[in-house]
Amino acid sequence: MTMEPDVFLEPWRTPAVFYHDEDICSLVARMAAMGAMSVRDFVVRYLGQKELDPAHLPFNLTAVTRLAILSGNPLEDLLANAIGGTSEAPGDIRHRGLFRGVKMHQAWIGTQKRIAPGKLLADGDDPYVRLAWRFPALPCDIETGEMLVTRCPRCVEQLRWEATEVAFCHSCRFDLRQARQAYADGETLQATRTLAGPLGLGEKALAGQPLDLPPPFGDLTLEQQVKVLGWCAQLDGMLRRTGTSSSFLNAVVGLRVAQQWPQAMSELVILTARQSWETDEKALLVLPHLVKTLQVGELKKSILPQAIELMRLAIKDRGKPPSTGRPAQYVDI
């Protein structure tokens, strides 16, 4: 539902600079602060959106268009950071949207406000929230590697876009720039940057371009690769016993596994073979079962026979202690 603003729509006397890597919600919050009003009041009065959750503003092209006029920024600059409808369903972006020419599930883009305290502190007097921080699969800032924060360290409330000042907690008014800074290790930062590129983010943005992965993942589309990365993350969780789930949210973990394929699968065979010899004779069924959960049918058909062959070799050696038994052999696809 929309409503007409109760004022004539024209640029504000003081233009609000829109940074090329800024989240649209961040610009809204900064403009609300300039007008000495709440984000909700600004969204209703100036953007004409009475029932729209501020977190979904980048998905509303009417609101984005009005925001461009009010802020005095070129519409194309804001549209570059907005999410539109697809040609199949231009008005329905609840499940899938179009971002920089790439069809994405809304879960890839996310709505949760996340911030990097140190990055906001370095912004000086005009801090702003980066667009890339919205994407839940990216655990850290793609430039500095600073880990992203989703909750206020003082009151533990989830951060919300309703906060009029982007660097303050909406609930307790804690200055988030004073929060403790933590940084990802070099491997995680590199994986984050690699994943950001195909999503249309970062210095090496190649929106929609599939990731450069070894066979059998290299020939998949980006959407298929994203599903596989979640699956690879679960495989890593089984190896490390961390319980990592098969989810796009864990794509950075899965990327490391996919880049080293098939090492992870061979390691899981050795691990399950050892467990089968020591405690659980059904442990060898883990890998074939895991392969069957793959959401990419063609890939499942190519990997399942390989997994079964690895299991066969491991079963053949069952009964021998892991220290003397022959390690599982990998059969090239």
Side-chain angles (χ1 to χ4, degrees):
M1 176 180 177
T2 62
M3 61 177 289
E4 292 301 318
D6 58 3
V7 294
F8 182 71
L9 200 62
E10 61 180 6
W12 283 19
R13 292 182 178 180
T14 304
V17 176
F18 180 64
Y19 299 98
H20 71 95
D21 59 345
E22 185 174 14
D23 193 296
I24 287 175
C25 290
S26 173
L27 176 61
V28 169
R30 292 194 296 115
M31 291 193 67
M34 290 169 59
M37 64 181 72
S38 69
V39 169
R40 172 58 61 188
D41 287 344
F42 180 86
V43 170
V44 172
R45 184 174 183 185
Y46 288 97
L47 303 185
Q49 305 299 318
K50 186 177 181 180
E51 298 180 358
L52 182 65
D53 184 336
H56 291 88
L57 282 168
F59 297 83
N60 189 295
L61 298 188
T62 298
V64 172
T65 300
R66 294 186 176 192
L67 184 61
I69 296 173
L70 290 165
S71 64
N73 289 286
L75 176 59
E76 56 267 27
D77 289 357
L78 270 69
L79 289 178
N81 291 6
I83 299 93
T86 63
S87 58
E88 295 87 349
D92 182 8
I93 52 179
R94 290 172 297 175
H95 305 296
R96 187 184 293 255
L98 196 65
F99 175 71
R100 296 184 175 173
V102 182
K103 293 179 182 178
M104 295 187 183
H105 292 280
Q106 192 184 96
W108 295 15
I109 303 168
T111 57
Q112 171 65 48
K113 179 181 178 180
R114 304 191 301 164
I115 60 100
K119 199 72 177 283
L120 293 181
L121 182 62
D123 286 339
D125 295 333
D126 195 20
Y128 67 96
V129 178
R130 273 62 174 178
L131 172 66
W133 299 349
R134 173 182 286 265
F135 287 69
L138 306 180
C140 63
D141 178 69
I142 57 180
E143 292 182 353
T144 65
E146 184 179 1
M147 298 300 292
L148 300 176
V149 175
T150 61
R151 292 182 179 274
C152 172
R154 173 180 288 176
C155 68
V156 203
E157 285 283 328
Q158 274 201 333
L159 303 182
R160 298 175 58 123
W161 291 108
E162 283 83 348
T164 302
E165 296 175 83
V166 297
F168 286 79
C169 172
H170 71 283
S171 179
C172 70
R173 298 287 302 157
F174 175 70
D175 187 341
L176 300 167
R177 292 169 292 189
Q178 305 307 314
R180 184 179 66 86
Q181 300 171 27
Y183 290 84
D185 59 72
E187 187 180 15
T188 298
L189 175 57
Q190 184 57 48
T192 300
R193 289 172 174 170
T194 300
L195 183 60
L199 297 178
L201 302 164
E203 294 183 359
K204 298 182 179 180
L206 297 169
Q209 183 74 26
L211 292 158
D212 183 15
L213 297 174
F217 309 131
D219 294 332
L220 301 178
T221 65
L222 177 61
E223 184 170 356
Q224 289 174 324
Q225 286 182 336
V226 165
K227 293 178 181 178
V228 169
L229 293 183
W231 179 82
C232 285
Q234 183 178 2
L235 178 57
D236 182 82
M238 295 174 68
L239 280 170
R240 301 174 187 270
R241 299 184 180 182
T242 59
T244 306
S245 63
S246 178
S247 167
F248 173 65
L249 299 180
N250 300 317
V252 164
V253 174
L255 179 59
R256 296 198 294 265
V257 172
Q259 289 173 327
Q260 299 173 10
W261 193 264
Q263 178 181 338
M265 189 164 77
S266 297
E267 288 178 355
L268 183 61
V269 170
I270 295 172
L271 175 64
T272 53
R274 181 178 294 110
Q275 291 175 340
S276 176
W277 182 83
E278 293 175 346
T279 57
D280 184 4
E281 63 180 13
K282 295 182 180 180
L284 287 170
L285 300 177
V286 169
L287 185 55
H289 175 74
L290 178 63
V291 174
K292 290 179 181 179
T293 65
L294 260 172
Q295 298 180 33
V296 181
E298 296 178 2
L299 195 60
K300 186 188 303 184
K301 292 178 182 178
S302 67
I303 292 182
L304 185 56
Q306 182 185 17
I308 293 174
E309 175 63 11
L310 287 169
M311 291 295 97
R312 185 188 68 77
L313 293 172
I315 290 173
K316 186 177 180 180
D317 284 342
R318 190 168 177 268
K320 299 179 181 179
S323 59
T324 59
R326 184 181 64 193
Q329 301 296 310
Y330 174 69
V331 182
D332 285 329
I333 293 177

